[in-house]
Amino acid sequence: MTFVLRLALNTLVLPVVPVAIAVAVAFATRSATARRCAGALAAASGIVVAHVVVVGVPRLPPIDTIGWIPFAAAVTCVGLLVEPRPVVRLVVTFVVATIAIRLVGRPVWHSAIDAAPWALLVGAGTTAIDASLVVASRRMPPAGVLLAFAMTMAGGSIACLFGHSALLAQVLGASAAVIGASGVVAIFVTPAKTPAKTIASIAAVSAVAVMAYASLYATLSTVVVVLLVGSAVAPIVAAALPVTPRARAVVAVA
């Protein structure tokens, strides 16, 4: 198999397989709950598959701290499926993101005191992104929210590539493919049943953790990270525009 085909397989095909399975579940059942659970599990599974095929199967505890990120995505998914209330959603996102950043940055921050300010800051930023996407999903179609965040993740992938980290670029690119595929499914298959809020929360935790890893261990500048966080919060601005839902979705993606 050539390098290009292997790259396409690992980035665009294998991570999206869980989304295809969720589509099959959506056609096979009339239960709205089953469809929502399948959509959320597909997003988390796709992100986990992206890490496994690109980075490898993580040990427990992982040797490389990037191995904590798929566990964070899985825990976020389970937590939000068990308790989906909005306030609890933000608490779950904050706690998981803060702990994930602490674990990812353990080689840099040798003590909990050194790590606490940065981990809490990143956790708060992740929660702000999640809240932005939740607010946007109330006034925009689910596809608009998911595709907008997929574009942000794709931008992070390009930034990592120019930061001389092809591995992280591929991880973010594969994750963006998963979220983008979920957005496409929301357009053509299950527009009213796609759990955009839960998928967005899972994607936010995973993407921010990867960007934090890139900032700590790769040559990705802090300015780029801040700009990407800003673009992730942009959907809330689009949601506030006094225009039609379809126009908001277009603006958010742009």
Side-chain angles (χ1 to χ4, degrees):
M1 183 180 298
T2 65
F3 171 77
V4 175
L5 288 177
R6 182 176 300 171
L7 183 66
L9 180 66
N10 292 343
T11 306
L12 302 176
V13 178
L14 292 179
V16 180
V17 169
V19 179
I21 296 174
V23 172
V25 172
F27 279 114
T29 180
R30 295 181 180 180
S31 171
T33 301
R35 290 181 175 183
R36 292 190 178 96
C37 290
L41 289 171
S45 300
I47 290 174
V48 171
V49 170
H51 281 264
V52 169
V53 298
V54 175
V55 181
V57 179
R59 298 183 180 181
L60 192 62
I63 297 175
D64 189 332
T65 56
I66 195 175
W68 288 111
I69 298 176
F71 289 108
V75 170
T76 304
C77 178
V78 172
L80 296 183
L81 288 178
V82 171
E83 183 52 80
R85 287 183 297 178
V87 175
V88 178
R89 174 186 305 276
L90 295 178
V91 172
V92 169
T93 301
F94 175 77
V95 171
V96 175
T98 301
I99 295 175
I101 297 305
R102 171 67 182 100
L103 294 173
V104 166
R106 178 176 290 178
V108 176
W109 302 312
H110 300 293
S111 68
I113 296 177
D114 294 335
W118 296 104
L120 292 173
L121 178 63
V122 176
T126 307
T127 306
I129 293 173
D130 185 28
S132 167
L133 297 172
V134 169
V135 172
S137 67
R138 294 173 182 170
R139 301 190 63 188
M140 292 169 53
V145 177
L146 296 177
L147 291 175
F149 196 70
M151 293 294 290
T152 298
M153 297 174 75
S157 174
I158 296 173
C160 288
L161 184 61
F162 282 101
H164 307 289
S165 181
L167 181 75
L168 299 179
Q170 192 175 351
V171 169
L172 273 177
S175 300
V178 173
I179 305 306
S182 299
V184 173
V185 169
I187 296 175
F188 297 105
V189 182
T190 57
K193 305 300 181 182
T194 300
K197 298 175 184 178
T198 303
I199 294 175
S201 299
I202 297 167
V205 170
S206 172
V208 171
V210 174
M211 296 304 297
Y213 184 93
S215 180
L216 290 170
Y217 305 112
T219 57
L220 191 65
S221 68
T222 305
V223 175
V224 173
V225 175
V226 171
L227 291 175
L228 288 170
V229 171
S231 67
V233 181
I236 196 173
V237 178
L241 295 176
V243 292
T244 63
R246 181 173 295 181
R248 292 191 194 104
V250 173
V251 172
V253 173

